[in-house]
Coordinates of all heavy atoms in Angstrom, one line a residue:
A284 N 24.7 -13.6 -58.5 CA 25.7 -14.7 -58.0 C 27.0 -14.6 -58.7 O 28.1 -14.7 -58.2 CB 25.0 -16.0 -58.1
E285 N 26.9 -14.4 -60.1 CA 28.1 -14.3 -60.9 C 28.9 -13.1 -60.5 O 30.2 -13.1 -60.5 CB 27.7 -14.2 -62.4 CG 27.2 -15.5 -62.9 CD 26.6 -15.4 -64.3 OE1 26.3 -14.2 -64.7 OE2 26.4 -16.4 -65.0
S286 N 28.3 -12.0 -60.2 CA 29.0 -10.8 -59.8 C 29.8 -11.0 -58.5 O 30.9 -10.5 -58.3 CB 28.0 -9.6 -59.6 OG 27.3 -9.3 -60.8
L287 N 29.1 -11.7 -57.6 CA 29.8 -12.0 -56.3 C 31.0 -12.9 -56.4 O 32.0 -12.8 -55.7 CB 28.8 -12.6 -55.3 CG 27.7 -11.6 -54.9 CD1 26.7 -12.4 -54.0 CD2 28.2 -10.4 -54.1
L288 N 30.9 -13.9 -57.5 CA 32.0 -14.8 -57.6 C 33.1 -14.3 -58.5 O 34.2 -14.8 -58.5 CB 31.4 -16.1 -58.3 CG 30.5 -16.9 -57.3 CD1 29.9 -18.1 -58.1 CD2 31.2 -17.4 -56.1
S289 N 32.8 -13.3 -59.3 CA 33.8 -12.8 -60.2 C 34.9 -12.0 -59.5 O 34.7 -11.4 -58.5 CB 33.1 -11.9 -61.3 OG 32.6 -10.7 -60.7
A290 N 36.1 -12.0 -60.1 CA 37.2 -11.3 -59.5 C 37.1 -9.8 -59.7 O 36.5 -9.4 -60.7 CB 38.5 -11.8 -60.1
P291 N 37.6 -9.0 -58.8 CA 37.5 -7.5 -59.1 C 38.4 -7.1 -60.3 O 39.4 -7.8 -60.6 CB 38.2 -6.9 -57.8 CG 39.0 -8.0 -57.2 CD 38.4 -9.3 -57.6
P292 N 38.0 -6.1 -61.0 CA 38.7 -5.7 -62.2 C 40.1 -5.2 -61.8 O 40.3 -4.7 -60.7 CB 37.9 -4.5 -62.7 CG 37.1 -4.0 -61.5 CD 36.8 -5.2 -60.7
E293 N 41.0 -5.5 -62.7 CA 42.4 -5.2 -62.5 C 42.5 -3.6 -62.5 O 41.8 -3.0 -63.2 CB 43.3 -5.8 -63.5 CG 43.3 -7.3 -63.5 CD 44.3 -7.9 -64.5 OE1 44.9 -7.0 -65.2 OE2 44.4 -9.1 -64.6
A294 N 43.4 -3.2 -61.7 CA 43.7 -1.7 -61.7 C 44.3 -1.3 -63.0 O 45.1 -2.0 -63.6 CB 44.5 -1.4 -60.5
A295 N 44.0 -0.1 -63.4 CA 44.6 0.4 -64.6 C 46.0 0.7 -64.4 O 46.5 0.9 -63.2 CB 43.9 1.7 -65.0
E296 N 46.8 0.7 -65.4 CA 48.2 0.9 -65.3 C 48.5 2.3 -64.7 O 47.9 3.3 -65.1 CB 48.9 0.8 -66.7 CG 50.4 0.9 -66.6 CD 51.0 0.8 -68.0 OE1 50.3 0.5 -68.9 OE2 52.3 1.0 -68.1
G297 N 49.3 2.3 -63.7 CA 49.7 3.5 -63.0 C 48.8 3.8 -61.8 O 49.1 4.7 -61.0
D298 N 47.6 3.1 -61.7 CA 46.8 3.3 -60.5 C 47.3 2.5 -59.3 O 47.6 1.3 -59.5 CB 45.3 2.8 -60.8 CG 44.7 3.8 -61.8 OD1 45.2 4.9 -62.0 OD2 43.6 3.4 -62.4
A299 N 47.3 3.0 -58.2 CA 47.7 2.3 -57.0 C 46.5 1.5 -56.5 O 45.4 1.9 -56.5 CB 48.1 3.3 -55.9
P300 N 46.8 0.2 -56.0 CA 45.7 -0.6 -55.5 C 45.1 0.0 -54.3 O 45.8 0.6 -53.5 CB 46.4 -2.0 -55.2 CG 47.9 -1.6 -55.0 CD 48.1 -0.4 -55.9
T301 N 43.8 -0.1 -54.1 CA 43.1 0.4 -52.9 C 43.3 -0.5 -51.7 O 42.9 -1.7 -51.8 CB 41.7 0.6 -53.2 OG1 41.5 1.4 -54.3 CG2 40.9 1.2 -52.0
P302 N 44.0 -0.1 -50.7 CA 44.3 -1.0 -49.5 C 43.0 -1.1 -48.7 O 42.1 -0.3 -48.7 CB 45.4 -0.3 -48.8 CG 45.1 1.2 -49.1 CD 44.6 1.2 -50.5
L303 N 42.9 -2.3 -48.0 CA 41.8 -2.5 -47.1 C 42.0 -1.6 -45.8 O 43.1 -1.3 -45.4 CB 41.8 -4.0 -46.6 CG 41.4 -5.0 -47.7 CD1 41.5 -6.4 -47.1 CD2 40.0 -4.7 -48.2
P304 N 40.9 -1.1 -45.3 CA 41.1 -0.2 -44.1 C 41.6 -1.0 -42.9 O 41.3 -2.1 -42.7 CB 39.6 0.3 -43.8 CG 38.7 -0.8 -44.4 CD 39.5 -1.2 -45.6
V305 N 42.5 -0.3 -42.2 CA 43.2 -0.9 -41.0 C 42.8 -0.1 -39.8 O 42.9 1.1 -39.8 CB 44.7 -0.9 -41.2 CG1 45.3 -1.5 -39.9 CG2 45.1 -1.7 -42.4
R306 N 42.3 -0.8 -38.8 CA 41.8 -0.2 -37.5 C 43.0 0.2 -36.7 O 43.9 -0.6 -36.4 CB 40.9 -1.1 -36.7 CG 40.5 -0.5 -35.4 CD 39.6 -1.5 -34.7 NE 39.2 -1.0 -33.4 CZ 38.6 -1.7 -32.5 NH1 38.2 -3.0 -32.7 NH2 38.3 -1.2 -31.3
E307 N 43.1 1.5 -36.4 CA 44.2 2.0 -35.5 C 44.0 1.5 -34.1 O 43.0 1.5 -33.5 CB 44.3 3.5 -35.6 CG 44.7 4.0 -36.9 CD 44.9 5.5 -36.9 OE1 44.9 6.1 -35.8 OE2 45.1 6.1 -37.9
E308 N 45.1 1.1 -33.5 CA 45.2 0.7 -32.1 C 45.6 1.8 -31.3 O 46.7 2.4 -31.5 CB 46.1 -0.5 -31.9 CG 45.6 -1.8 -32.6 CD 44.3 -2.4 -31.9 OE1 44.1 -2.0 -30.7 OE2 43.6 -3.1 -32.6
V309 N 44.8 2.2 -30.3 CA 45.2 3.4 -29.4 C 46.1 2.8 -28.3 O 45.7 1.9 -27.6 CB 43.9 4.0 -28.9 CG1 44.3 5.2 -27.9 CG2 43.0 4.5 -30.0
P310 N 47.3 3.3 -28.2 CA 48.1 2.8 -27.1 C 47.5 3.1 -25.8 O 46.9 4.1 -25.5 CB 49.4 3.7 -27.2 CG 49.0 4.9 -28.0 CD 47.9 4.4 -28.9
R311 N 47.6 2.1 -24.8 CA 47.0 2.1 -23.5 C 48.0 2.0 -22.5 O 48.9 1.2 -22.5 CB 46.0 1.0 -23.4 CG 45.2 1.0 -22.1 CD 44.1 -0.1 -22.2 NE 43.4 -0.2 -20.9 CZ 43.8 -1.1 -20.0 NH1 44.8 -1.9 -20.2 NH2 43.2 -1.2 -18.9
K312 N 47.9 2.9 -21.5 CA 48.9 3.0 -20.4 C 48.8 1.7 -19.5 O 47.7 1.3 -19.1 CB 48.6 4.2 -19.5 CG 49.6 4.4 -18.4 CD 49.3 5.6 -17.5 CE 50.2 5.7 -16.4 NZ 49.9 6.9 -15.5
K313 N 49.9 1.1 -19.3 CA 50.0 -0.1 -18.5 C 49.7 0.2 -17.0 O 50.2 1.2 -16.5 CB 51.3 -0.8 -18.7 CG 51.5 -1.4 -20.1 CD 52.8 -2.2 -20.1 CE 53.0 -2.8 -21.5 NZ 54.3 -3.5 -21.6
T314 N 49.0 -0.6 -16.4 CA 48.7 -0.4 -14.9 C 49.0 -1.7 -14.2 O 48.3 -2.1 -13.3 CB 47.3 0.1 -14.7 OG1 46.4 -0.9 -15.3 CG2 47.1 1.4 -15.3
A315 N 50.0 -2.5 -14.6 CA 50.3 -3.7 -13.9 C 50.8 -3.4 -12.5 O 51.2 -2.3 -12.2 CB 51.4 -4.4 -14.7
A316 N 50.6 -4.4 -11.6 CA 51.0 -4.2 -10.2 C 52.4 -3.8 -10.1 O 52.7 -3.0 -9.2 CB 50.7 -5.6 -9.5
S317 N 53.3 -4.2 -11.0 CA 54.7 -3.9 -10.8 C 55.0 -2.4 -11.1 O 56.0 -1.9 -10.7 CB 55.5 -4.8 -11.8 OG 55.1 -4.6 -13.1
S318 N 54.1 -1.7 -11.8 CA 54.3 -0.3 -12.2 C 53.5 0.7 -11.4 O 53.6 1.8 -11.7 CB 54.1 -0.2 -13.7 OG 52.7 -0.4 -14.0
V319 N 52.7 0.2 -10.5 CA 51.8 1.1 -9.7 C 52.2 0.9 -8.2 O 52.3 -0.2 -7.7 CB 50.3 0.7 -9.9 CG1 49.5 1.6 -9.0 CG2 50.0 1.0 -11.4
V320 N 52.4 2.1 -7.6 CA 52.7 2.1 -6.2 C 51.3 2.0 -5.4 O 50.5 2.9 -5.5 CB 53.5 3.3 -5.7 CG1 53.7 3.3 -4.2 CG2 54.8 3.3 -6.5
L321 N 51.1 1.0 -4.6 CA 49.8 0.8 -3.9 C 50.1 1.0 -2.4 O 50.7 0.1 -1.8 CB 49.3 -0.6 -4.2 CG 47.8 -0.8 -3.8 CD1 46.9 0.2 -4.7 CD2 47.4 -2.2 -4.1
D322 N 49.7 2.1 -1.9 CA 49.9 2.5 -0.5 C 48.9 1.7 0.4 O 47.7 2.0 0.3 CB 49.8 4.0 -0.3 CG 50.2 4.4 1.1 OD1 50.2 3.6 2.0 OD2 50.5 5.6 1.2
P323 N 49.4 0.8 1.3 CA 48.4 0.1 2.1 C 47.6 1.0 3.0 O 46.5 0.6 3.5 CB 49.3 -0.9 2.9 CG 50.7 -0.3 2.8 CD 50.8 0.5 1.6
S324 N 48.0 2.2 3.3 CA 47.3 3.1 4.2 C 46.0 3.5 3.7 O 45.1 4.0 4.5 CB 48.2 4.3 4.6 OG 48.3 5.2 3.4
I325 N 45.7 3.4 2.4 CA 44.4 3.9 1.8 C 43.3 2.8 2.1 O 42.2 3.1 1.9 CB 44.5 4.2 0.3 CG1 44.8 2.9 -0.5 CG2 45.6 5.2 0.0 CD1 44.7 3.1 -2.0
F326 N 43.7 1.6 2.5 CA 42.7 0.6 2.8 C 42.3 0.7 4.3 O 42.9 0.2 5.2 CB 43.3 -0.8 2.5 CG 43.6 -1.0 1.0 CD1 44.8 -0.5 0.5 CD2 42.7 -1.7 0.2 CE1 45.0 -0.7 -0.9 CE2 42.9 -1.8 -1.1 CZ 44.1 -1.4 -1.7
R327 N 41.2 1.4 4.5 CA 40.7 1.8 5.8 C 39.8 0.8 6.4 O 39.5 -0.3 5.8 CB 40.0 3.2 5.7 CG 40.8 4.3 5.0 CD 42.0 4.6 5.8 NE 42.8 5.7 5.1 CZ 42.6 7.0 5.4 NH1 41.7 7.4 6.3 NH2 43.3 7.9 4.8
A328 N 39.2 1.1 7.6 CA 38.4 0.1 8.3 C 37.1 -0.2 7.5 O 36.6 -1.3 7.6 CB 38.1 0.6 9.7
Y329 N 36.6 0.8 6.8 CA 35.3 0.5 6.1 C 35.2 1.1 4.7 O 34.1 1.2 4.2 CB 34.1 1.0 7.0 CG 34.3 2.3 7.8 CD1 34.1 3.5 7.2 CD2 34.7 2.2 9.1 CE1 34.3 4.7 7.9 CE2 34.9 3.4 9.8 CZ 34.6 4.6 9.2 OH 34.8 5.8 10.0
D330 N 36.3 1.5 4.2 CA 36.3 1.9 2.7 C 37.8 2.1 2.3 O 38.7 1.8 3.1 CB 35.4 3.1 2.4 CG 35.8 4.3 3.3 OD1 37.0 4.4 3.7 OD2 34.9 5.2 3.5
I331 N 38.0 2.5 1.1 CA 39.3 2.8 0.6 C 39.3 4.3 0.3 O 38.4 4.9 -0.3 CB 39.6 2.1 -0.7 CG1 39.6 0.6 -0.5 CG2 40.9 2.5 -1.3 CD1 39.7 -0.3 -1.7
R332 N 40.3 5.0 0.8 CA 40.3 6.5 0.7 C 41.8 7.0 0.7 O 42.6 6.5 1.5 CB 39.5 7.1 1.9 CG 39.0 8.5 1.6 CD 38.1 9.0 2.6 NE 36.9 8.1 2.7 CZ 35.9 8.3 3.6 NH1 36.0 9.3 4.4 NH2 34.9 7.5 3.6
G333 N 42.1 7.9 -0.2 CA 43.4 8.5 -0.2 C 43.4 9.9 -0.9 O 42.4 10.4 -1.2
I334 N 44.6 10.4 -1.0 CA 44.8 11.8 -1.6 C 45.1 11.6 -3.1 O 46.1 10.9 -3.4 CB 45.9 12.5 -0.9 CG1 45.5 12.7 0.6 CG2 46.1 13.9 -1.5 CD1 46.6 13.4 1.4
V335 N 44.4 12.2 -3.9 CA 44.5 12.1 -5.4 C 45.9 12.6 -5.8 O 46.3 13.8 -5.4 CB 43.4 12.8 -6.1 CG1 43.6 12.7 -7.6 CG2 42.1 12.1 -5.8
G336 N 46.6 11.9 -6.6 CA 47.9 12.3 -7.0 C 49.1 11.9 -6.1 O 50.2 12.0 -6.4
T337 N 48.7 11.5 -4.9 CA 49.7 11.1 -3.9 C 49.6 9.6 -3.6 O 50.6 8.8 -3.8 CB 49.6 11.9 -2.6 OG1 49.7 13.3 -2.9 CG2 50.6 11.5 -1.6
T338 N 48.5 9.2 -3.1 CA 48.2 7.8 -2.8 C 47.2 7.1 -3.7 O 46.9 6.0 -3.6 CB 47.9 7.6 -1.3 OG1 46.7 8.3 -1.0 CG2 49.0 8.0 -0.4
L339 N 46.6 8.0 -4.5 CA 45.4 7.5 -5.3 C 45.5 8.1 -6.7 O 45.6 9.3 -6.9 CB 44.1 7.9 -4.6 CG 42.8 7.2 -5.1 CD1 42.9 5.7 -5.0 CD2 41.6 7.8 -4.3
D340 N 45.4 7.2 -7.8 CA 45.3 7.6 -9.1 C 44.6 6.6 -10.0 O 44.1 5.6 -9.4 CB 46.7 8.0 -9.7 CG 47.6 6.8 -9.7 OD1 47.2 5.6 -9.6 OD2 48.9 7.0 -9.7
A341 N 44.5 6.8 -11.3 CA 43.8 5.9 -12.1 C 44.4 4.5 -12.1 O 43.7 3.5 -12.2 CB 43.8 6.4 -13.6
G342 N 45.7 4.4 -12.0 CA 46.4 3.0 -11.9 C 46.0 2.3 -10.7 O 45.7 1.1 -10.7
V343 N 46.0 3.0 -9.5 CA 45.5 2.3 -8.3 C 44.0 1.9 -8.4 O 43.6 0.8 -8.0 CB 45.7 3.3 -7.1 CG1 45.0 2.8 -5.9 CG2 47.2 3.6 -6.9
A344 N 43.2 2.8 -9.0 CA 41.8 2.5 -9.2 C 41.6 1.2 -10.1 O 40.7 0.4 -9.8 CB 41.1 3.7 -9.9
E345 N 42.5 1.1 -11.1 CA 42.3 -0.1 -11.9 C 42.7 -1.4 -11.2 O 42.0 -2.4 -11.3 CB 43.3 0.0 -13.2 CG 43.2 -1.2 -14.1 CD 43.8 -1.0 -15.4 OE1 44.1 0.2 -15.8 OE2 44.1 -2.0 -16.1

Side-chain angles (χ1 to χ4, degrees):
E285 291 170 340
S286 297
L287 293 175
L288 292 174
S289 64
E293 295 183 2
E296 185 177 353
D298 290 344
T301 304
L303 293 175
V305 177
R306 180 181 175 184
E307 292 187 7
E308 294 291 337
V309 179
R311 183 169 173 269
K312 182 181 177 181
K313 294 184 178 180
T314 55
S317 59
S318 62
V319 175
V320 177
L321 197 63
D322 188 338
S324 69
I325 69 174
F326 293 82
R327 308 296 182 91
Y329 36 85
D330 54 26
I331 298 172
R332 201 170 301 179
I334 300 175
V335 177
T337 302
T338 57
L339 192 60
D340 58 21
V343 172
E345 181 168 344

